Amino acid sequence: MAEDGESDWVRLNVGGTMFETTRTTLARLKSQFLDRLLAEDSGFSRPADGVYKIDRDPEVFRVLLNFGRHGQLLLNSHVTAAMLEADADFYILGQHVRLAIDALSEDSGADSAQKYFEAKKAMRKRNHPLTPSSVKH
């Protein structure tokens, strides 16, 4: 892993969306795929433009990348637990990420991010001070 800040940065084009992050953030995912792709001795040639291209869903990658940054799954309304599981297999992610995804999958009330966001929106609406249900008679 590079020591200076500039060479620690990596540019990835995932499904047409450009991501810039650090090798340190990616290393937190313990992804065998990404580790091999970025390794100096991987046998893969470095892209001429410096951008590694990966044909995967960028929204799922964003959730996984944020896990590397924050240590938790920060869900996106378009990403399901099944999508996360599929990409966990593709990227060959570390056990700690898989456990977080499994916990999301096992939670019957949040089997997809969409259900999670719908429930959260309903809670906000219910608890908003100006909604009819919160006005006391």
Side-chain angles (χ1 to χ4, degrees), residues 31-119:
S31 164
Q32 292 179 36
F33 173 86
L34 293 171
D35 289 350
R36 173 98 192 267
L37 180 69
L38 300 173
E40 295 294 325
D41 61 350
S42 70
F44 297 113
S45 58
R46 182 175 166 92
D49 61 359
V51 179
Y52 293 90
K53 293 170 185 69
I54 303 171
D55 187 19
R56 299 303 287 185
D57 187 309
E59 293 303 318
V60 176
F61 186 75
R62 185 180 318 279
V63 171
L64 296 173
L65 185 58
N66 279 326
F67 186 91
R69 292 174 174 145
H70 307 290
Q72 58 185 339
L73 290 172
L74 302 173
L75 298 177
N76 174 311
S77 62
H78 303 291
V79 177
T80 65
M83 293 166 77
L84 287 169
E85 289 171 0
D87 275 22
D89 289 341
F90 176 82
Y91 293 112
I92 315 169
L93 296 179
Q95 190 63 26
H96 66 300
V97 184
R98 289 176 178 276
L99 289 173
I101 294 169
D102 288 347
L104 175 66
S105 299
E106 291 170 6
D107 182 358
S108 62
D111 62 349
S112 75
Q114 185 63 38
K115 286 183 182 178
Y116 170 82
F117 281 106
E118 287 171 4

Side-chain angles (χ1 to χ4, degrees), residues 2-23:
E3 291 298 318
D4 65 357
E6 189 62 34
S7 60
D8 191 44
W9 283 91
V10 177
R11 295 177 66 206
L12 302 160
N13 177 334
V14 180
T17 300
M18 187 65 67
F19 292 91
E20 292 188 44
T21 190
T22 62
R23 290 176 184 271

